[in-house]
């Protein structure tokens, strides 16, 4: 147990009240009033018409790709720096992932490199809004429309983040979110697919429910999955959603303190926020390229002070199981992955906590 964890959920009386109500109602599985309420409320929050809640974020990505008929012979472009669930979903459907390098300024997929990776077989792009920072959605949507590709946003780390004033998750044909315990809001385990396309939403609902025909019970037209969210999870999520603005303001406040306290240290790059972006700083992150200490030494010293940190994800292309999908060059993700460190970003941290952590970082580095 760390005194200052990287992320932890804030769960209060409102959540408890909802979950108790759900339990007492007897609707503990995937029927019940909280599910549709949560789906509609979250979709509305992002500015998308339809929401289909799932048992986690990974299966939301899987369902999105199945619903778009992506499979064998198709290629899907993913960024090199992301959580493995992004690429795994592509592999589940039998498509070929194509790994693309990131942009050095904001750490998400680089649109220029993305365009060069497109072939005749490319069907979709999965941009990932990494650590709460949006991708360059205008550039990505423009490339996608020119090449007739689907965009499936992986917004698992960026609830409420905005690109030019528009929320992430409202750009792609389908967007996917996660509500895992360390994400911006949580349902315990959970996820959702959002789309403006009614037919797609209906298709995802069927696929989520064993492929069962909505018109004829126990009649199956497709091989589906059991990827449903429970009423208990949705009850928790609905109470969390009521607090999302406060959580995001809190995260942005934490980022502001880190940015002030850690500015102008040689060899430290701070978490970016591009002029076109509203970043939600899911995990406030820094890059360490410092003569005095390495990233790993800094992490070790912080740990001695009760401060948890997390290294950036390994680039996908470096892991043997994914290497066969890496046929391009990855100079930026290789470098940034080794330098990147996520700092404590929990909404439960006080201003004093964040200042203390920032000062420790400064003390160790300078
Ligand atoms: C958390 C996460 C997921 C997966 O979500 P789960 O709910 O844990 O399955 C997918 N993509 C990214 C980028 C994530 O951070």
């Amino acid at each position: 147990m760390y005194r200052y964890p990287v992320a932890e959920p804030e769960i209060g009386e409102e959540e408890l009240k909802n979950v108790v109500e759900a339990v007492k109602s007897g609707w503990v599985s995937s029927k019940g009033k909280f599910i549709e309420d949560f789906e509609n409320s979250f979709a509305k929050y992002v500015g998308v018409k339809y929401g289909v809640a799932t048992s986690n974020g990974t299966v939301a990505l899987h369902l999105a790709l199945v619903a778009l008929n992506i499979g064998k012979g198709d290629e899907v472009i993913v960024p090199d720096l992301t959580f493995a669930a992004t690429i795994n979903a592509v592999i589940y459907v039998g498509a070929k992932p194509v790994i693309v390098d990131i942009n050095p300024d904001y750490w998400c997929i680089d649109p220029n490199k993305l365009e060069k990776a497109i072939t005749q077989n490319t069907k979709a792009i999965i941009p990932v809004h990494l650590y709460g920072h949006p991708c360059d959605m205008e550039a990505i949507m423009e490339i996608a429309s020119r090449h007739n590709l689907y965009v499936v946003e992986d917004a698992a780390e960026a609830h409420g983040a905005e690109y030019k004033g528009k929320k992430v998750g409202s750009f792609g044909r389908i967007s996917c979110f996660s509500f895992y315990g360390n994400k911006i809001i949580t349902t315990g385990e959970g996820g959702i697919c959002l789309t403006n396309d009614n037919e797609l939403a209906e298709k995802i609902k069927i696929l989520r429910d064993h492929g069962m025909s909505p018109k004829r019970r126990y009649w199956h037209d497709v091989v589906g999955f059991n990827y449903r969210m429970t009423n208990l999870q949705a009850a928790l999520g609905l109470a969390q959603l009521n607090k999302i603005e406060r959580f995001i303001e809190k995260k942005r406040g934490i980022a502001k303190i880190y940015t002030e306290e850690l500015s102008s240290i040689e060899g430290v790059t701070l978490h970016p926020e591009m002029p076109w972006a509203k970043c939600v700083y899911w995990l406030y992150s820094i890059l360490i390229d410092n003569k005095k200490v390495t990233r790993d030494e800094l992490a070790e010293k912080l740990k001695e002070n009760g401060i948890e940190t997390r290294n950036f994800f390994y680039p996908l292309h470096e892991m043997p199981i994914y290497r066969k999908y890496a046929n391009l060059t990855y100079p930026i993700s290789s470098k940034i992955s080794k330098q990147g460190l996520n700092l404590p970003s929990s909404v439960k941290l006080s201003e004093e906590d964040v200042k203390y952590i920032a000062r420790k970082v400064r003390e160790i580095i300078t």
Side-chain angles (χ1 to χ4, degrees):
M1 276 297 283
Y2 287 92
R3 175 130 188 245
Y4 306 103
V6 162
E8 76 188 317
E10 190 195 296
I11 295 169
E13 291 301 321
E14 303 82 350
E15 284 82 352
L16 214 55
K17 185 179 153 284
N18 275 11
V19 174
V20 167
E21 188 186 330
V23 171
K24 284 187 173 167
S25 77
W27 296 102
V28 293
S29 293
S30 51
K31 285 200 175 92
K33 68 165 197 177
F34 287 108
I35 297 167
E36 265 188 37
D37 202 356
F38 178 65
E39 289 174 331
N40 294 337
S41 306
F42 190 77
K44 189 168 171 219
Y45 170 72
V46 177
V48 179
K49 277 191 192 151
Y50 310 104
V52 184
T54 57
S55 38
N56 60 64
T58 307
V59 304
L61 288 165
H62 185 192
L63 283 181
L65 297 176
V66 176
L68 294 169
N69 295 321
I70 291 167
K72 219 174 171 55
D74 298 333
E75 293 178 7
V76 178
I77 295 174
V78 299
D80 193 28
L81 195 65
T82 182
F83 181 58
T86 317
I87 190 169
N88 286 347
V90 179
I91 298 169
Y92 299 159
V93 298
K96 181 182 156 197
V98 173
I99 302 172
V100 167
D101 201 6
I102 57 166
N103 181 288
D105 298 328
Y106 55 93
W107 312 338
C108 300
I109 196 162
D110 190 312
N112 294 320
K113 293 179 179 174
L114 184 166
E115 180 146 34
K116 294 193 185 93
I118 294 170
T119 73
Q120 281 187 330
N121 297 323
T122 310
K123 283 281 154 57
I125 306 165
I126 311 183
V128 180
H129 309 293
L130 195 76
Y131 301 135
H133 196 288
C135 298
D136 184 350
M137 289 316 295
E138 213 164 73
I140 292 169
M141 296 313 288
E142 191 274 321
I143 294 165
S145 98
R146 208 152 20 81
H147 294 268
N148 205 12
L149 308 175
Y150 293 123
V151 172
V152 175
E153 293 180 72
D154 182 342
E157 304 181 356
H159 318 54
E162 293 174 11
Y163 176 84
K164 294 192 178 170
K166 195 167 176 271
K167 285 204 174 67
V168 304
S170 65
F171 292 87
R173 177 62 70 98
I174 302 175
S175 64
C176 302
F177 289 80
S178 164
F179 305 113
Y180 186 70
N182 64 9
K183 299 290 163 81
I184 292 180
I185 59 168
T186 186
T187 60
E189 291 274 354
I192 199 166
C193 291
L194 301 184
T195 182
N196 283 316
D197 181 328
N198 181 38
E199 263 175 57
L200 264 181
E202 290 307 313
K203 195 171 171 189
I204 294 169
K205 274 186 198 162
I206 293 167
L207 287 165
R208 171 184 70 171
D209 188 24
H210 302 279
M212 200 188 302
S213 164
K215 296 194 191 80
R216 203 169 159 193
R217 256 186 128 192
Y218 303 114
W219 184 265
H220 299 254
D221 296 307
V222 284
V223 178
F225 311 89
N226 178 354
Y227 282 173
R228 298 172 308 223
M229 177 181 273
T230 67
N231 198 40
L232 302 183
Q233 289 167 290
L236 177 57
L238 204 57
Q240 287 268 292
L241 187 56
N242 283 330
K243 303 177 177 176
I244 194 166
E245 291 302 348
R246 182 163 64 73
F247 290 165
I248 290 169
E249 278 320 300
K250 179 83 205 212
K251 296 257 187 204
R252 288 179 59 79
I254 290 170
K256 193 157 173 272
I257 298 172
Y258 278 132
T259 298
E260 279 165 12
E261 298 282 331
L262 296 174
S263 65
S264 57
I265 305 180
E266 210 183 287
V268 177
T269 304
L270 301 178
H271 202 130
E273 181 170 52
M274 299 300 279
W276 38 261
K278 177 182 178 183
C279 181
V280 290
Y281 302 96
W282 171 52
L283 299 179
Y284 188 91
S285 309
I286 54 176
L287 306 182
I288 305 296
D289 183 15
N290 183 281
K291 288 193 194 72
K292 194 178 160 207
V293 280
T294 65
R295 190 259 321 253
D296 294 347
E297 284 162 357
L298 171 63
E300 192 51 41
K301 292 213 169 98
L302 290 171
K303 186 177 166 186
E304 288 164 15
N305 287 281
I307 301 166
E308 185 188 24
T309 59
R310 197 189 292 173
N311 288 350
F312 270 25
F313 298 120
Y314 291 102
L316 294 174
H317 82 272
E318 284 182 10
M319 290 181 259
I321 43 164
Y322 302 124
R323 205 166 284 155
K324 60 173 177 280
Y325 309 118
N327 296 315
L328 302 163
T329 60
Y330 307 96
I332 310 299
S333 53
S334 302
K335 185 166 148 234
I336 284 178
S337 160
K338 286 186 191 69
Q339 297 177 347
L341 194 67
N342 308 127
L343 297 178
S345 306
S346 163
V347 289
K348 287 180 150 180
L349 295 171
S350 71
E351 268 182 39
E352 286 64 42
D353 292 338
V354 182
K355 280 187 183 152
Y356 168 81
I357 297 162
R359 280 169 197 161
K360 275 286 167 211
V361 171
R362 181 181 274 274
E363 194 181 297
I364 295 163
I365 283 183
T366 55

